[in-house]
Coordinates of all heavy atoms in Angstrom, one line a residue:
M30 N 48.7 -46.6 48.5 CA 48.9 -45.3 49.0 C 48.7 -44.2 47.9 O 49.3 -44.3 46.8 CB 50.3 -45.1 49.7 CG 50.4 -45.9 50.9 SD 50.0 -45.1 52.4 CE 51.2 -43.7 52.5
K31 N 48.0 -43.2 48.2 CA 47.8 -42.1 47.3 C 49.1 -41.2 47.3 O 49.6 -41.0 48.4 CB 46.6 -41.3 47.7 CG 46.2 -40.2 46.7 CD 45.0 -39.5 47.2 CE 44.7 -38.3 46.3 NZ 43.7 -37.4 46.9
T32 N 49.5 -40.8 46.2 CA 50.7 -39.9 46.1 C 50.3 -38.6 45.5 O 49.3 -38.5 44.8 CB 51.8 -40.5 45.3 OG1 51.4 -40.8 44.0 CG2 52.4 -41.8 45.9
S33 N 50.9 -37.6 45.9 CA 50.6 -36.3 45.4 C 51.9 -35.6 45.0 O 52.6 -34.9 45.8 CB 50.0 -35.4 46.6 OG 48.8 -36.0 47.0
Q34 N 52.3 -35.8 43.8 CA 53.5 -35.2 43.2 C 53.1 -33.8 42.8 O 52.2 -33.5 42.1 CB 53.9 -36.0 41.9 CG 54.4 -37.3 42.2 CD 55.9 -37.3 42.7 OE1 56.7 -36.7 42.0 NE2 56.2 -37.9 43.8
V35 N 54.0 -32.9 43.4 CA 53.8 -31.4 43.0 C 55.1 -30.9 42.6 O 56.2 -31.5 42.9 CB 53.2 -30.6 44.2 CG1 51.8 -31.1 44.5 CG2 54.1 -30.7 45.4
S36 N 55.1 -29.7 42.0 CA 56.4 -29.0 41.6 C 56.7 -28.0 42.7 O 55.8 -27.2 43.1 CB 56.2 -28.4 40.3 OG 56.0 -29.3 39.3
C37 N 57.9 -28.0 43.1 CA 58.4 -27.0 44.1 C 58.3 -25.6 43.4 O 58.7 -25.4 42.3 CB 59.8 -27.3 44.4 SG 60.6 -26.0 45.4
P38 N 57.7 -24.7 44.1 CA 57.5 -23.3 43.5 C 58.9 -22.6 43.3 O 59.0 -21.7 42.4 CB 56.8 -22.5 44.6 CG 56.1 -23.6 45.4 CD 57.0 -24.8 45.4
T39 N 59.9 -23.0 44.0 CA 61.2 -22.4 43.9 C 62.0 -23.0 42.8 O 62.5 -22.4 41.9 CB 62.0 -22.4 45.2 OG1 61.2 -21.7 46.2 CG2 63.3 -21.7 45.1
C40 N 62.2 -24.3 42.9 CA 63.2 -25.0 41.9 C 62.5 -25.8 40.9 O 63.1 -26.4 40.0 CB 64.2 -25.8 42.7 SG 63.5 -27.3 43.4
K41 N 61.1 -25.9 41.0 CA 60.3 -26.6 40.0 C 60.5 -28.1 40.0 O 60.0 -28.8 39.1 CB 60.5 -26.1 38.5 CG 60.5 -24.6 38.4 CD 59.2 -24.0 38.9 CE 59.2 -22.4 38.7 NZ 58.1 -21.8 39.4
K42 N 61.2 -28.6 40.9 CA 61.5 -30.0 41.0 C 60.2 -30.7 41.5 O 59.5 -30.2 42.4 CB 62.6 -30.3 42.0 CG 63.2 -31.7 42.0 CD 64.4 -31.8 42.9 CE 64.0 -31.9 44.3 NZ 65.2 -32.1 45.2
K43 N 60.0 -31.9 41.0 CA 58.8 -32.7 41.4 C 59.2 -33.4 42.7 O 60.3 -33.9 42.9 CB 58.4 -33.7 40.4 CG 57.9 -33.1 39.1 CD 56.4 -33.1 39.1 CE 55.9 -32.6 37.7 NZ 54.5 -32.4 37.8
F44 N 58.3 -33.4 43.6 CA 58.5 -34.1 44.9 C 57.1 -34.5 45.4 O 56.1 -34.1 45.0 CB 59.2 -33.3 45.9 CG 58.5 -32.1 46.4 CD1 57.9 -32.2 47.7 CD2 58.3 -30.9 45.7 CE1 57.1 -31.1 48.2 CE2 57.6 -29.9 46.2 CZ 57.0 -29.9 47.5
E45 N 57.2 -35.4 46.4 CA 56.0 -35.9 47.0 C 55.6 -34.9 48.1 O 56.2 -34.7 49.1 CB 56.3 -37.3 47.7 CG 55.2 -37.9 48.5 CD 53.9 -38.0 47.9 OE1 53.8 -38.4 46.7 OE2 52.9 -37.6 48.5
Y46 N 54.4 -34.3 47.9 CA 54.0 -33.2 48.7 C 54.0 -33.6 50.2 O 54.5 -32.8 51.0 CB 52.5 -32.8 48.3 CG 52.0 -31.6 49.0 CD1 52.3 -30.3 48.5 CD2 51.2 -31.7 50.1 CE1 51.8 -29.2 49.1 CE2 50.7 -30.6 50.8 CZ 51.0 -29.3 50.3 OH 50.5 -28.2 50.9
Y47 N 53.4 -34.7 50.5 CA 53.3 -35.0 52.0 C 54.5 -35.5 52.6 O 54.6 -35.7 53.8 CB 52.1 -36.0 52.2 CG 50.8 -35.4 51.7 CD1 50.2 -35.7 50.5 CD2 50.2 -34.4 52.6 CE1 49.0 -35.1 50.2 CE2 49.0 -33.8 52.2 CZ 48.4 -34.2 51.0 OH 47.2 -33.6 50.6
S48 N 55.6 -35.7 51.8 CA 56.8 -36.2 52.4 C 57.7 -35.1 52.8 O 58.7 -35.2 53.4 CB 57.6 -37.1 51.4 OG 58.1 -36.4 50.3
S49 N 57.4 -33.8 52.4 CA 58.2 -32.7 52.7 C 57.7 -32.0 53.9 O 56.6 -31.7 54.1 CB 58.2 -31.7 51.5 OG 58.9 -30.5 51.9
E50 N 58.7 -31.7 54.8 CA 58.4 -30.9 56.0 C 58.1 -29.4 55.7 O 57.6 -28.7 56.4 CB 59.5 -30.9 57.0 CG 59.8 -32.3 57.7 CD 61.0 -32.1 58.6 OE1 61.0 -31.2 59.4 OE2 61.9 -33.0 58.5
Y51 N 58.6 -29.1 54.5 CA 58.7 -27.7 54.1 C 57.7 -27.3 53.0 O 57.9 -26.4 52.3 CB 60.1 -27.3 53.7 CG 61.1 -27.7 54.7 CD1 61.9 -28.8 54.5 CD2 61.2 -27.0 55.9 CE1 62.8 -29.2 55.5 CE2 62.0 -27.4 56.9 CZ 62.9 -28.5 56.7 OH 63.8 -28.9 57.6
R52 N 56.7 -28.2 52.8 CA 55.7 -28.0 51.7 C 55.1 -26.6 51.9 O 54.9 -26.1 53.0 CB 54.7 -29.1 51.8 CG 53.9 -29.3 53.1 CD 53.1 -30.5 53.0 NE 52.3 -30.8 54.2 CZ 52.6 -31.7 55.1 NH1 53.7 -32.5 54.9 NH2 51.9 -31.9 56.2
P53 N 54.7 -25.9 50.8 CA 54.7 -26.5 49.5 C 56.1 -26.5 48.8 O 56.2 -26.7 47.6 CB 53.8 -25.5 48.7 CG 54.1 -24.2 49.4 CD 54.3 -24.5 50.8
F54 N 57.2 -26.4 49.6 CA 58.5 -26.4 49.0 C 59.1 -27.8 49.2 O 58.7 -28.5 50.1 CB 59.4 -25.3 49.6 CG 58.8 -23.9 49.4 CD1 58.1 -23.4 50.5 CD2 58.8 -23.3 48.2 CE1 57.5 -22.1 50.4 CE2 58.2 -22.0 48.1 CZ 57.5 -21.5 49.2
C55 N 60.1 -28.1 48.3 CA 60.7 -29.4 48.4 C 61.7 -29.5 49.6 O 62.0 -30.6 50.0 CB 61.3 -29.8 47.1 SG 62.8 -28.9 46.7
S56 N 62.2 -28.4 50.0 CA 63.2 -28.4 51.0 C 63.2 -27.0 51.7 O 62.6 -26.1 51.3 CB 64.6 -28.6 50.3 OG 64.9 -27.4 49.6
E57 N 63.9 -27.0 52.9 CA 64.0 -25.8 53.7 C 64.7 -24.7 52.8 O 64.3 -23.6 52.9 CB 64.8 -26.1 54.9 CG 64.9 -24.9 55.8 CD 65.5 -25.2 57.2 OE1 66.4 -26.1 57.2 OE2 65.2 -24.5 58.1
K58 N 65.7 -25.1 52.1 CA 66.4 -24.1 51.3 C 65.5 -23.4 50.3 O 65.5 -22.2 50.2 CB 67.5 -24.9 50.5 CG 68.4 -23.9 49.7 CD 69.5 -24.7 48.9 CE 70.2 -23.8 47.9 NZ 71.0 -24.6 47.0
C59 N 64.6 -24.2 49.6 CA 63.7 -23.6 48.7 C 62.7 -22.7 49.4 O 62.4 -21.6 48.9 CB 63.0 -24.7 47.9 SG 64.0 -25.4 46.6
R60 N 62.3 -23.1 50.6 CA 61.4 -22.2 51.3 C 62.1 -20.9 51.7 O 61.5 -19.8 51.6 CB 61.0 -23.0 52.6 CG 59.9 -22.2 53.4 CD 59.5 -22.9 54.7 NE 60.6 -22.9 55.6 CZ 60.5 -23.3 56.8 NH1 59.4 -23.9 57.3 NH2 61.6 -23.3 57.6
L61 N 63.3 -21.0 52.1 CA 64.1 -19.8 52.5 C 64.3 -18.9 51.3 O 64.2 -17.7 51.4 CB 65.4 -20.2 53.2 CG 65.2 -20.8 54.6 CD1 66.6 -21.3 55.0 CD2 64.7 -19.7 55.6
I62 N 64.6 -19.5 50.2 CA 64.8 -18.7 49.0 C 63.5 -18.0 48.6 O 63.5 -16.8 48.3 CB 65.2 -19.6 47.8 CG1 66.7 -20.1 48.0 CG2 65.1 -18.9 46.5 CD1 67.1 -21.2 47.1
D63 N 62.4 -18.7 48.7 CA 61.1 -18.0 48.4 C 60.8 -16.9 49.4 O 60.4 -15.8 49.1 CB 60.0 -19.1 48.5 CG 58.7 -18.4 48.1 OD1 58.5 -18.3 46.8 OD2 57.9 -18.1 48.9
L64 N 61.1 -17.1 50.7 CA 60.9 -16.1 51.7 C 61.9 -14.9 51.4 O 61.5 -13.8 51.6 CB 61.2 -16.7 53.1 CG 61.1 -15.7 54.3 CD1 59.7 -15.2 54.4 CD2 61.5 -16.5 55.6
G65 N 63.1 -15.2 51.0 CA 64.0 -14.2 50.7 C 63.5 -13.3 49.5 O 63.7 -12.1 49.6
Q66 N 62.9 -14.0 48.5 CA 62.4 -13.2 47.4 C 61.3 -12.3 47.9 O 61.1 -11.2 47.5 CB 61.9 -14.2 46.3 CG 63.1 -14.8 45.6 CD 62.7 -15.9 44.7 OE1 61.6 -16.4 44.8 NE2 63.5 -16.3 43.8
W67 N 60.5 -12.9 48.8 CA 59.3 -12.1 49.3 C 59.8 -10.9 50.1 O 59.3 -9.8 50.0 CB 58.5 -13.1 50.1 CG 57.3 -12.4 50.7 CD1 56.1 -12.1 50.1 CD2 57.2 -11.9 52.1 NE1 55.3 -11.5 51.0 CE2 55.9 -11.3 52.2 CE3 58.0 -11.9 53.2 CZ2 55.4 -10.8 53.4 CZ3 57.6 -11.3 54.4 CH2 56.3 -10.8 54.5
L68 N 60.8 -11.1 50.9 CA 61.3 -10.1 51.8 C 62.0 -9.0 50.9 O 61.8 -7.8 51.2 CB 62.3 -10.6 52.8 CG 61.8 -11.4 53.9 CD1 62.9 -12.0 54.7 CD2 61.0 -10.5 54.8
T69 N 62.7 -9.4 49.9 CA 63.5 -8.4 49.1 C 62.6 -7.7 48.2 O 63.0 -6.6 47.6 CB 64.6 -9.1 48.4 OG1 64.1 -10.2 47.6 CG2 65.7 -9.5 49.3
E70 N 61.4 -8.2 47.9 CA 60.5 -7.4 47.0 C 60.2 -6.0 47.6 O 60.0 -5.1 46.8 CB 59.1 -8.2 46.9 CG 59.1 -9.1 45.7 CD 57.8 -9.9 45.6 OE1 56.8 -9.4 46.2 OE2 57.8 -11.0 45.1
S71 N 60.1 -5.9 48.9 CA 59.9 -4.6 49.5 C 61.0 -3.6 49.3 O 60.9 -2.5 49.4 CB 59.5 -4.8 50.9 OG 60.5 -5.5 51.6
Y72 N 62.2 -4.2 49.0 CA 63.3 -3.3 48.7 C 63.6 -3.2 47.2 O 64.5 -2.6 46.7 CB 64.6 -3.9 49.3 CG 64.5 -4.0 50.8 CD1 64.1 -5.2 51.4 CD2 64.6 -2.9 51.7 CE1 64.0 -5.3 52.8 CE2 64.5 -3.0 53.0 CZ 64.2 -4.2 53.6 OH 64.0 -4.3 54.9
T73 N 62.8 -3.9 46.4 CA 62.9 -4.0 44.9 C 64.3 -4.3 44.5 O 64.8 -3.8 43.5 CB 62.4 -2.7 44.3 OG1 63.2 -1.6 44.7 CG2 60.9 -2.4 44.6
V74 N 64.9 -5.2 45.2 CA 66.2 -5.7 44.8 C 66.1 -7.1 44.3 O 65.6 -8.0 45.0 CB 67.2 -5.7 46.0 CG1 68.5 -6.3 45.7 CG2 67.4 -4.3 46.5
P75 N 66.5 -7.4 43.1 CA 66.4 -8.7 42.6 C 67.3 -9.7 43.3 O 68.5 -9.3 43.6 CB 66.7 -8.6 41.1 CG 67.5 -7.3 41.0 CD 67.1 -6.5 42.1
V76 N 66.9 -10.8 43.7 CA 67.7 -11.8 44.4 C 67.9 -13.0 43.5 O 66.9 -13.5 43.0 CB 67.2 -12.1 45.8 CG1 65.8 -12.8 45.7 CG2 68.2 -12.9 46.6
Q77 N 69.1 -13.4 43.3 CA 69.4 -14.6 42.5 C 69.5 -15.8 43.4 O 68.9 -16.8 43.3 CB 70.7 -14.4 41.7 CG 70.6 -13.2 40.8 CD 69.5 -13.3 39.7 OE1 69.2 -14.4 39.3 NE2 68.9 -12.2 39.4
K78 N 70.4 -15.7 44.4 CA 70.7 -16.8 45.3 C 70.9 -16.2 46.7 O 71.4 -15.1 46.8 CB 72.0 -17.4 44.9 CG 71.9 -18.4 43.8 CD 73.3 -19.1 43.6 CE 73.2 -19.9 42.3 NZ 74.6 -20.4 42.0
L79 N 70.6 -17.0 47.6 CA 70.9 -16.6 49.0 C 72.3 -17.2 49.4 O 72.6 -18.3 49.1 CB 69.9 -17.3 50.0 CG 68.5 -16.7 50.0 CD1 67.7 -17.5 51.0 CD2 68.5 -15.3 50.5
S80 N 73.0 -16.3 50.0 CA 74.3 -16.8 50.6 C 74.0 -17.6 51.8 O 72.8 -17.5 52.3 CB 75.2 -15.6 50.9 OG 74.7 -14.9 52.0
E81 N 74.9 -18.4 52.3 CA 74.7 -19.2 53.5 C 74.3 -18.3 54.7 O 73.4 -18.6 55.4 CB 75.9 -20.0 53.8 CG 75.7 -21.1 54.8 CD 76.9 -22.0 55.0 OE1 77.6 -22.1 54.0 OE2 77.1 -22.5 56.1
E82 N 75.0 -17.1 54.7 CA 74.7 -16.2 55.8 C 73.3 -15.6 55.7 O 72.6 -15.5 56.7 CB 75.7 -15.1 55.7 CG 75.7 -14.2 57.0 CD 76.7 -13.0 56.9 OE1 77.7 -13.2 56.1 OE2 76.6 -12.0 57.6
E83 N 72.9 -15.3 54.5 CA 71.5 -14.8 54.3 C 70.5 -15.9 54.7 O 69.4 -15.6 55.3 CB 71.3 -14.3 52.9 CG 72.0 -13.1 52.6 CD 72.1 -12.7 51.1 OE1 72.1 -13.7 50.3 OE2 72.1 -11.6 50.8
A84 N 70.8 -17.1 54.3 CA 69.9 -18.2 54.6 C 69.7 -18.4 56.1 O 68.6 -18.6 56.6 CB 70.3 -19.5 53.9
L85 N 70.8 -18.3 56.8 CA 70.8 -18.4 58.3 C 70.0 -17.3 58.9 O 69.3 -17.5 59.8 CB 72.2 -18.4 58.8 CG 73.0 -19.7 58.6 CD1 74.4 -19.6 58.9 CD2 72.4 -20.9 59.4
T86 N 70.2 -16.1 58.3 CA 69.4 -14.9 58.9 C 67.9 -15.1 58.7 O 67.1 -14.9 59.6 CB 69.9 -13.6 58.1 OG1 71.3 -13.5 58.3 CG2 69.1 -12.4 58.7
L87 N 67.6 -15.6 57.5 CA 66.2 -15.9 57.2 C 65.6 -17.0 58.1 O 64.5 -16.9 58.7 CB 66.0 -16.3 55.8 CG 66.1 -15.1 54.8 CD1 66.1 -15.6 53.4 CD2 64.9 -14.2 55.0
E88 N 66.4 -18.0 58.3 CA 66.0 -19.1 59.2 C 65.8 -18.6 60.6 O 64.8 -18.9 61.3 CB 67.1 -20.1 59.2 CG 66.7 -21.4 59.9 CD 67.8 -22.5 59.8 OE1 68.8 -22.3 59.1 OE2 67.7 -23.4 60.5
H89 N 66.6 -17.7 61.0 CA 66.5 -17.1 62.4 C 65.2 -16.3 62.5 O 64.4 -16.4 63.4 CB 67.7 -16.2 62.6 CG 67.7 -15.6 64.0 ND1 67.9 -16.3 65.2 CD2 67.4 -14.3 64.4 CE1 67.8 -15.5 66.2 NE2 67.5 -14.3 65.8
L90 N 64.9 -15.5 61.4 CA 63.6 -14.7 61.4 C 62.4 -15.6 61.4 O 61.4 -15.4 62.1 CB 63.6 -13.9 60.1 CG 64.6 -12.7 60.1 CD1 64.6 -12.1 58.7 CD2 64.2 -11.6 61.1
V91 N 62.5 -16.7 60.7 CA 61.4 -17.7 60.6 C 61.2 -18.3 62.0 O 60.1 -18.4 62.5 CB 61.6 -18.8 59.6 CG1 60.6 -19.9 59.7 CG2 61.5 -18.2 58.2
R92 N 62.3 -18.6 62.7 CA 62.2 -19.2 64.0 C 61.6 -18.3 65.0 O 60.8 -18.6 65.8 CB 63.5 -19.7 64.5 CG 63.9 -21.0 63.8 CD 65.2 -21.6 64.4 NE 65.6 -22.8 63.7 CZ 66.8 -23.3 63.6 NH1 67.8 -22.6 64.3 NH2 67.1 -24.4 63.0
E93 N 62.0 -17.0 64.9 CA 61.5 -16.0 65.8 C 60.0 -15.9 65.6 O 59.2 -15.8 66.6 CB 62.1 -14.7 65.6 CG 63.5 -14.5 66.3 CD 63.9 -13.0 66.2 OE1 63.5 -12.3 65.3 OE2 64.8 -12.7 67.0
K94 N 59.6 -15.8 64.4 CA 58.2 -15.7 64.0 C 57.4 -16.9 64.6 O 56.3 -16.7 65.2 CB 58.1 -15.6 62.5 CG 56.8 -15.0 62.0 CD 56.9 -14.9 60.5 CE 55.6 -14.7 59.8 NZ 55.7 -14.7 58.4
N95 N 57.9 -18.1 64.3 CA 57.2 -19.3 64.8 C 57.1 -19.3 66.3 O 56.1 -19.7 66.9 CB 58.0 -20.5 64.3 CG 57.7 -20.7 62.8 OD1 56.8 -20.1 62.2 ND2 58.6 -21.6 62.2
S96 N 58.2 -19.0 67.0 CA 58.2 -19.0 68.5 C 57.2 -18.0 69.0 O 56.6 -18.2 70.0 CB 59.6 -18.9 69.0 OG 60.1 -17.6 68.8
D97 N 57.2 -16.9 68.3 CA 56.2 -15.8 68.8 C 54.8 -16.4 68.6 O 54.0 -16.2 69.5 CB 56.4 -14.6 67.9 CG 55.5 -13.5 68.3 OD1 55.6 -13.1 69.5 OD2 54.8 -12.9 67.5
R98 N 54.5 -17.0 67.5 CA 53.2 -17.5 67.3 C 52.9 -18.6 68.3 O 51.8 -18.7 68.8 CB 53.1 -18.1 65.9 CG 51.7 -18.5 65.5 CD 51.6 -19.1 64.1 NE 52.5 -20.3 64.1 CZ 53.0 -20.8 63.0 NH1 52.8 -20.3 61.8 NH2 53.7 -21.9 63.0
D99 N 53.9 -19.5 68.6 CA 53.7 -20.6 69.5 C 53.3 -20.1 70.9 O 52.4 -20.6 71.6 CB 54.9 -21.4 69.6 CG 55.1 -22.3 68.4 OD1 54.1 -22.4 67.6 OD2 56.2 -22.9 68.2
S100 N 54.0 -19.0 71.3 CA 53.8 -18.5 72.7 C 52.4 -17.9 72.8 O 51.7 -18.0 73.8 CB 54.8 -17.4 73.0 OG 54.7 -16.3 72.2
H101 N 51.8 -17.4 71.7 CA 50.5 -16.9 71.7 C 49.5 -18.0 71.7 O 48.4 -17.9 72.4 CB 50.2 -16.0 70.5 CG 50.8 -14.6 70.6 ND1 50.5 -13.7 71.6 CD2 51.8 -14.1 69.8 CE1 51.2 -12.7 71.4 NE2 52.0 -12.8 70.4
D102 N 49.8 -19.1 71.0 CA 48.9 -20.2 71.0 C 48.8 -21.0 72.3 O 47.8 -21.5 72.7 CB 49.3 -21.2 69.9 CG 49.0 -20.7 68.5 OD1 48.2 -19.7 68.5 OD2 49.5 -21.2 67.6
D103 N 49.9 -20.9 73.1 CA 50.0 -21.7 74.3 C 49.2 -21.2 75.4 O 49.3 -20.1 75.8 CB 51.5 -21.8 74.7 CG 51.8 -23.1 75.5 OD1 50.8 -23.6 76.1 OD2 52.9 -23.5 75.5
Ligands
ZN19 ZN1 62.7 -26.9 45.6

């Protein structure tokens, strides 16, 4: 089997690209952190870590976005 080890853009940890549901991130947490950084850029507020509450808020936004896209595709 071919393996594709990549570094997570958020935490720089090596992981198997095709084994992650959240690629190019190693985990959902890293994906949310990246999204949080992207969102906060527009407010020019540096973000170090997401609180659990912030992560849940972002997760909710992502789900809304995904469900919106799904309804259009359907
Ligand atoms: Zn990561």
Side-chain angles (χ1 to χ4, degrees):
M30 291 267 299
K31 191 182 170 188
T32 57
S33 300
Q34 291 276 312
V35 295
S36 294
C37 172
T39 300
C40 71
K41 313 301 183 195
K42 192 175 78 177
K43 293 266 188 186
F44 70 100
E45 170 55 46
Y46 186 85
Y47 296 104
S48 73
S49 173
E50 291 178 51
Y51 308 107
R52 56 187 181 257
F54 305 99
C55 71
S56 66
E57 184 175 27
K58 185 181 168 190
C59 285
R60 187 182 65 174
L61 288 170
I62 288 169
D63 186 77
L64 179 60
Q66 287 172 341
W67 179 80
L68 287 173
T69 52
E70 268 177 23
S71 50
Y72 302 98
T73 62
V74 174
V76 65
Q77 302 299 326
K78 279 184 188 172
L79 285 179
S80 70
E81 194 172 329
E82 192 180 339
E83 287 169 329
L85 287 169
T86 302
L87 285 170
E88 190 178 347
H89 182 71
L90 288 170
V91 169
R92 281 187 185 158
E93 277 192 340
K94 199 173 163 186
N95 287 344
S96 65
D97 184 54
R98 187 183 61 202
D99 286 348
S100 65
H101 284 299
D102 287 345
D103 204 338

